[in-house]
Amino acid sequence: MRIVKHRLHEGINTIAHFGTLKLVYLDYQDKKLMGWFCETSGTEPDEYQVYIAVTGETVHDEFRYVTSTQTAYVGGYYVVHAFD
């Protein structure tokens, strides 16, 4: 098992990988939204989806809340929420 990092954006993010991923942390690094994931290696290709929503946005019931973060990089305080 290891921790890996992927850049994320608002909306749906699909990450192709081998094994399993689970988002554990969300934050801004160098003004870019990043997600830190726990990765368990495997031999089969898979995809992991993370949905990034803004406060007040309606998210489909299939997604489960994971974490949130805030930044002041975009001209005011801005909060995003991650669902998987």
Side-chain angles (χ1 to χ4, degrees):
M1 184 176 350
R2 67 185 183 146
I3 299 294
V4 295
K5 177 175 65 174
H6 292 279
R7 186 161 183 199
L8 301 172
H9 57 81
E10 288 180 25
I12 194 73
N13 295 263
T14 302
I15 303 166
H17 60 93
F18 285 87
T20 59
L21 286 180
K22 173 67 178 155
L23 178 65
V24 293
Y25 185 68
L26 179 72
D27 207 346
Y28 285 86
Q29 185 177 49
D30 193 28
K31 300 183 181 181
K32 297 175 187 111
L33 183 61
M34 306 298 286
W36 283 261
F37 300 80
C38 183
E39 177 191 67
T40 304
S41 350
T43 57
E44 297 296 319
D46 199 7
E47 290 184 339
Y48 181 74
Q49 289 191 327
V50 175
Y51 188 83
I52 303 298
V54 296
T55 301
E57 181 178 342
T58 301
V59 177
H60 195 276
D61 290 340
E62 72 184 79
F63 290 102
R64 296 168 311 221
Y65 174 78
V66 179
T67 188
S68 299
T69 192
Q70 122 179 336
T71 184
Y73 293 134
V74 292
Y77 288 102
Y78 184 65
V79 179
V80 293
H81 313 279
F83 298 80
D84 69 1

